[in-house]
Amino acid sequence: KTIKITGKGKLSIKPDCIRISMCLEETYRDYEETLYQSSKATEQIKDAFEELGFDRTAIKTSRFEIEVEYEHYRDHNDHLIKRFKGYSYIHQLTVEFSNDNNKLGEVLYMLAHVSLNPEISIEYTVKDTEKYKDLLLKNAIKDSMHKAKILTEAANVELGDIVSINYSWDDIYFTSHPINEMDCLSDQIGSVPQEKAYNLDMDVEDIKVSDTVTVIWRIQ
């Protein structure tokens, strides 16, 4: 005789880290020119962050690729023709720093005025995700035990040893996105810049995460 209970662990976590992703993308006719311009744009981004006090090595590449671009047109016989257009590079860069509205305001102002006009996405997260994953599992086990005790007491049976614990190991994302993706930051933030920084007054909501564990006990 057994009883199977799924326990759910929940956490509400105050984000302590901001992650900004920047996507640079341009097309050029020559492959070597594409590589050169990509490198030049990357250095420009790193220079700009360095002026804000960041270490250049803090700017990480999360994606880089070069694709062949074609354009399509119809000839005088109305046949669809594919014509070589050039090479496009896509360079995704990320940077993380502590949750600080002043620093975020400086970074957003810089990105809004850099000539490259990168596509930007912003997310809030936590630095020590492993700590919270462990805490979620503990909470899930406690919830399962609590439910099992209530059910066995109500059924007038005794809870025995654990037969098995089943955990799915799903990915948990400790992120929130209170600021939408933006191409032109200066048009969307809506705050007055002061000393080359946007004056941001944001208190971001806690990140809410959950996880489940299924436990089977013997009952007597």
Side-chain angles (χ1 to χ4, degrees), residues 18-22 24 41-60 93-97 103-104 106-111 114 116 118 120:
I18 298 174
R19 181 185 299 125
I20 295 183
S21 296
M22 302 154 283
L24 305 173
T42 302
E43 290 303 306
Q44 187 175 342
I45 287 288
K46 289 187 176 183
D47 288 344
F49 271 98
E50 193 172 38
E51 290 181 5
L52 296 180
F54 286 83
D55 191 305
R56 298 178 73 86
T57 60
I59 318 303
K60 307 293 186 182
L93 299 163
T94 60
V95 61
E96 294 185 4
F97 52 93
K103 179 60 70 175
L104 177 61
E106 292 179 354
V107 171
L108 294 185
Y109 184 90
M110 177 271 290
L111 292 174
V114 71
L116 297 169
I120 306 297

Side-chain angles (χ1 to χ4, degrees), residues 2-3 141 144-145 159-166 214-219:
T2 60
I3 182 172
I141 289 292
S144 179
M145 293 180 65
L159 192 64
D161 295 333
I162 292 177
V163 176
S164 68
I165 299 177
N166 184 20
T214 300
V215 183
I216 298 177
W217 279 272
R218 297 189 191 280
I219 54 174

